[in-house]
Coordinates of all heavy atoms in Angstrom, one line a residue:
M15 N 51.5 44.2 9.0 CA 51.2 45.4 8.3 C 50.8 45.1 6.8 O 49.8 45.7 6.4 CB 52.4 46.3 8.3 CG 52.3 47.6 7.7 SD 51.2 48.6 8.8 CE 51.2 50.1 7.9
L16 N 51.5 44.3 6.2 CA 51.2 44.0 4.8 C 49.8 43.3 4.7 O 49.1 43.5 3.7 CB 52.2 43.0 4.2 CG 53.6 43.6 3.8 CD1 54.6 42.5 3.5 CD2 53.4 44.6 2.7
F17 N 49.5 42.4 5.6 CA 48.2 41.7 5.5 C 47.0 42.5 5.9 O 45.9 42.3 5.3 CB 48.3 40.5 6.4 CG 49.3 39.5 6.0 CD1 50.6 39.4 6.7 CD2 49.1 38.6 5.0 CE1 51.5 38.5 6.3 CE2 50.1 37.7 4.6 CZ 51.3 37.6 5.2
A18 N 47.1 43.4 6.8 CA 45.9 44.1 7.3 C 45.8 45.6 6.9 O 44.7 46.0 6.7 CB 45.9 44.0 8.8
N19 N 46.9 46.3 6.8 CA 46.8 47.8 6.6 C 47.5 48.3 5.4 O 47.8 49.5 5.4 CB 47.3 48.5 7.9 CG 46.5 48.1 9.1 OD1 45.2 48.2 9.1 ND2 47.1 47.7 10.2
W20 N 47.8 47.5 4.4 CA 48.5 48.0 3.3 C 47.6 48.7 2.3 O 46.5 48.3 2.1 CB 49.2 46.8 2.6 CG 50.5 47.3 1.9 CD1 50.7 47.2 0.6 CD2 51.7 47.7 2.5 NE1 52.0 47.7 0.3 CE2 52.6 48.0 1.5 CE3 52.1 48.0 3.8 CZ2 53.9 48.5 1.7 CZ3 53.4 48.4 4.0 CH2 54.3 48.7 3.0
P21 N 48.1 49.9 1.7 CA 47.2 50.6 0.9 C 46.8 50.0 -0.5 O 45.9 50.5 -1.1 CB 47.9 52.0 0.7 CG 49.3 51.6 0.9 CD 49.4 50.5 1.9
V22 N 47.6 49.0 -0.9 CA 47.3 48.3 -2.1 C 47.2 46.8 -1.9 O 47.8 46.3 -0.9 CB 48.3 48.6 -3.2 CG1 48.3 50.1 -3.6 CG2 49.7 48.2 -2.8
V23 N 46.6 46.1 -2.7 CA 46.5 44.6 -2.5 C 47.0 43.9 -3.8 O 46.6 42.8 -4.0 CB 45.1 44.1 -2.2 CG1 44.7 44.6 -0.8 CG2 44.1 44.6 -3.2
S24 N 47.8 44.6 -4.6 CA 48.3 44.0 -5.8 C 49.7 44.6 -6.1 O 50.1 45.5 -5.4 CB 47.4 44.2 -7.0 OG 47.3 45.6 -7.3
G25 N 50.4 44.1 -7.1 CA 51.7 44.6 -7.5 C 52.7 43.6 -7.2 O 52.7 42.8 -6.3
T26 N 53.7 43.6 -8.1 CA 54.8 42.6 -8.0 C 55.5 42.7 -6.6 O 55.8 41.7 -6.0 CB 55.8 42.8 -9.1 OG1 55.1 42.6 -10.4 CG2 56.9 41.7 -9.1
A27 N 55.9 43.9 -6.3 CA 56.7 44.1 -5.0 C 55.9 43.7 -3.8 O 56.4 43.1 -2.9 CB 57.2 45.5 -4.9
F28 N 54.6 44.0 -3.8 CA 53.7 43.6 -2.7 C 53.6 42.1 -2.6 O 53.8 41.6 -1.5 CB 52.3 44.1 -3.0 CG 51.2 43.7 -2.0 CD1 51.2 44.2 -0.7 CD2 50.3 42.7 -2.3 CE1 50.3 43.7 0.2 CE2 49.4 42.3 -1.4 CZ 49.4 42.8 -0.1
V29 N 53.5 41.4 -3.7 CA 53.4 39.9 -3.6 C 54.7 39.3 -3.1 O 54.8 38.4 -2.3 CB 53.0 39.3 -5.0 CG1 53.1 37.8 -5.0 CG2 51.6 39.8 -5.3
L30 N 55.8 39.9 -3.7 CA 57.1 39.4 -3.2 C 57.4 39.6 -1.8 O 58.0 38.8 -1.1 CB 58.2 40.0 -4.1 CG 58.3 39.6 -5.6 CD1 59.3 40.4 -6.3 CD2 58.5 38.1 -5.7
A31 N 56.9 40.8 -1.3 CA 57.1 41.1 0.1 C 56.3 40.1 1.0 O 56.7 39.7 2.1 CB 56.7 42.5 0.4
L32 N 55.1 39.8 0.6 CA 54.2 38.9 1.3 C 55.0 37.5 1.4 O 55.0 36.9 2.5 CB 52.9 38.7 0.7 CG 51.9 39.8 0.8 CD1 50.6 39.5 -0.1 CD2 51.5 40.0 2.2
E33 N 55.5 37.1 0.3 CA 56.2 35.8 0.2 C 57.5 35.8 1.1 O 57.8 34.9 1.8 CB 56.5 35.4 -1.2 CG 55.3 35.1 -2.0 CD 55.6 34.9 -3.5 OE1 56.7 35.2 -3.9 OE2 54.6 34.5 -4.2
A34 N 58.2 36.9 1.0 CA 59.4 37.0 1.8 C 59.2 37.1 3.3 O 59.9 36.4 4.0 CB 60.2 38.3 1.3
C35 N 58.2 37.8 3.7 CA 57.9 37.9 5.1 C 57.4 36.5 5.6 O 57.8 36.1 6.7 CB 56.8 39.0 5.4 SG 57.5 40.6 5.2
A36 N 56.6 35.8 4.8 CA 56.2 34.5 5.2 C 57.4 33.5 5.2 O 57.5 32.6 6.1 CB 55.1 33.9 4.2
G37 N 58.3 33.7 4.4 CA 59.5 32.9 4.3 C 60.4 33.0 5.5 O 61.2 32.1 5.8
T38 N 60.3 34.1 6.2 CA 61.1 34.2 7.4 C 60.6 33.3 8.5 O 61.4 32.8 9.3 CB 61.1 35.7 8.0 OG1 59.8 36.1 8.3 CG2 61.7 36.7 7.0
A39 N 59.4 33.0 8.5 CA 58.8 32.0 9.5 C 59.3 30.6 9.3 O 59.5 29.9 10.2 CB 57.3 32.0 9.4
T40 N 59.6 30.3 8.0 CA 60.1 28.9 7.7 C 61.6 28.8 7.6 O 62.2 27.8 7.5 CB 59.5 28.4 6.4 OG1 59.9 29.3 5.4 CG2 58.0 28.3 6.5
G41 N 62.2 30.0 7.7 CA 63.7 30.0 7.6 C 64.3 30.0 6.2 O 65.5 29.9 6.0
T42 N 63.4 30.1 5.2 CA 63.9 30.1 3.8 C 64.3 31.5 3.3 O 64.9 31.6 2.3 CB 62.8 29.5 2.9 OG1 61.6 30.3 3.0 CG2 62.5 28.1 3.2
V43 N 64.0 32.5 4.1 CA 64.3 33.9 3.7 C 64.9 34.6 4.9 O 64.4 34.4 6.0 CB 63.0 34.7 3.3 CG1 63.3 36.1 3.0 CG2 62.4 34.0 2.1
T44 N 66.0 35.3 4.7 CA 66.6 36.0 5.8 C 65.8 37.3 6.2 O 65.1 37.8 5.4 CB 68.1 36.4 5.5 OG1 68.0 37.4 4.4 CG2 68.9 35.2 5.0
Q45 N 66.1 37.8 7.3 CA 65.5 39.0 7.8 C 65.8 40.2 6.8 O 65.0 41.0 6.5 CB 65.9 39.3 9.2 CG 65.2 40.6 9.7 CD 65.6 40.9 11.2 OE1 66.4 40.1 11.8 NE2 65.2 42.0 11.7
E46 N 67.1 40.2 6.4 CA 67.5 41.3 5.5 C 66.8 41.2 4.2 O 66.4 42.2 3.6 CB 69.0 41.2 5.3 CG 69.8 41.5 6.6 CD 69.9 40.4 7.6 OE1 69.6 39.2 7.2 OE2 70.2 40.7 8.7
E47 N 66.6 40.0 3.6 CA 65.9 39.8 2.4 C 64.4 40.3 2.5 O 63.9 41.0 1.6 CB 65.9 38.4 1.9 CG 67.3 37.9 1.5 CD 67.4 36.4 1.3 OE1 66.7 35.6 2.0 OE2 68.2 36.0 0.4
A48 N 63.8 39.9 3.6 CA 62.4 40.3 3.9 C 62.3 41.8 4.0 O 61.4 42.5 3.5 CB 61.9 39.6 5.1
Q49 N 63.3 42.4 4.7 CA 63.3 43.9 4.9 C 63.4 44.6 3.5 O 62.7 45.5 3.2 CB 64.4 44.3 5.8 CG 64.5 45.8 6.0 CD 65.6 46.2 6.9 OE1 66.6 45.5 7.1 NE2 65.5 47.4 7.5
S50 N 64.3 44.1 2.7 CA 64.4 44.7 1.3 C 63.2 44.6 0.5 O 62.7 45.5 -0.2 CB 65.6 44.0 0.6 OG 66.8 44.3 1.2
A51 N 62.5 43.4 0.6 CA 61.3 43.2 -0.1 C 60.2 44.1 0.4 O 59.4 44.7 -0.3 CB 60.8 41.7 0.0
F52 N 60.1 44.3 1.7 CA 59.1 45.1 2.4 C 59.3 46.6 1.9 O 58.4 47.3 1.6 CB 59.2 45.0 3.9 CG 58.2 45.8 4.6 CD1 56.9 45.3 4.9 CD2 58.5 47.2 5.0 CE1 56.0 46.1 5.6 CE2 57.5 47.9 5.7 CZ 56.3 47.4 6.0
L53 N 60.6 47.1 1.9 CA 60.8 48.4 1.5 C 60.5 48.6 0.0 O 60.0 49.7 -0.4 CB 62.3 48.8 1.8 CG 62.6 48.9 3.3 CD1 64.1 49.2 3.5 CD2 61.8 49.9 4.0
A54 N 60.8 47.6 -0.8 CA 60.4 47.7 -2.2 C 58.9 47.8 -2.4 O 58.4 48.6 -3.2 CB 60.9 46.5 -3.0
A55 N 58.2 47.1 -1.6 CA 56.7 47.2 -1.6 C 56.2 48.5 -1.2 O 55.3 49.1 -1.7 CB 56.1 46.1 -0.8
A56 N 56.9 49.1 -0.2 CA 56.5 50.4 0.3 C 56.8 51.5 -0.8 O 55.9 52.3 -1.0 CB 57.3 50.8 1.6
L57 N 57.9 51.4 -1.5 CA 58.1 52.3 -2.6 C 57.1 52.1 -3.7 O 56.6 53.1 -4.2 CB 59.5 52.0 -3.2 CG 60.7 52.5 -2.3 CD1 62.0 52.0 -2.9 CD2 60.7 54.0 -2.2
E58 N 56.8 50.9 -4.0 CA 55.8 50.7 -5.1 C 54.4 51.2 -4.7 O 53.7 51.8 -5.5 CB 55.7 49.1 -5.3 CG 54.7 48.8 -6.4 CD 54.6 47.3 -6.6 OE1 53.9 46.6 -5.7 OE2 55.2 46.8 -7.5
A59 N 54.1 51.1 -3.4 CA 52.8 51.6 -2.9 C 52.8 53.1 -2.6 O 51.8 53.6 -2.1 CB 52.3 50.8 -1.8
R60 N 54.0 53.7 -2.7 CA 54.2 55.1 -2.3 C 53.9 55.3 -0.8 O 53.2 56.4 -0.4 CB 53.4 56.0 -3.2 CG 53.9 55.9 -4.6 CD 53.2 56.8 -5.6 NE 53.7 56.5 -6.9 CZ 53.6 57.2 -7.9 NH1 53.0 58.4 -7.8 NH2 54.1 56.9 -9.1
V61 N 54.3 54.4 0.0 CA 54.1 54.5 1.4 C 55.4 55.3 1.9 O 56.5 55.0 1.6 CB 54.1 53.2 2.1 CG1 54.2 53.3 3.7 CG2 52.9 52.4 1.7
V62 N 55.1 56.3 2.7 CA 56.2 57.2 3.2 C 56.9 56.4 4.4 O 56.2 55.9 5.3 CB 55.7 58.5 3.7 CG1 56.8 59.4 4.3 CG2 55.0 59.3 2.5
F63 N 58.2 56.4 4.4 CA 58.9 55.7 5.5 C 60.2 56.4 5.7 O 60.7 57.1 4.8 CB 59.1 54.2 5.2 CG 60.0 53.9 4.0 CD1 61.3 53.8 4.1 CD2 59.4 53.7 2.8 CE1 62.1 53.5 3.0 CE2 60.1 53.4 1.6 CZ 61.5 53.3 1.8
R64 N 60.8 56.2 6.8 CA 62.1 56.8 7.1 C 63.0 55.7 7.7 O 62.5 55.0 8.6 CB 62.0 57.9 8.1 CG 63.3 58.7 8.4 CD 63.0 59.9 9.2 NE 63.1 59.5 10.6 CZ 62.8 60.3 11.6 NH1 62.4 61.6 11.3 NH2 62.9 60.0 12.8
I65 N 64.2 55.5 7.2 CA 65.1 54.5 7.7 C 65.9 55.2 8.8 O 66.6 56.2 8.6 CB 66.0 54.0 6.6 CG1 65.1 53.3 5.5 CG2 67.0 53.0 7.2 CD1 65.8 52.8 4.3
A66 N 65.9 54.6 10.0 CA 66.7 55.2 11.1 C 68.0 54.5 11.2 O 68.3 53.5 10.8 CB 65.9 54.9 12.4

């Protein structure tokens, strides 16, 4: 989602989310850390979301 369909391509939270999501593939970032980074990027980009 971040790589292909994100409404912005800049911003601190966006870059941190990209790095965090990539870090899950190498095991250097936990799923929870990546989720937090992704949600921060969503807030920064004003993407509407709902936590279930």
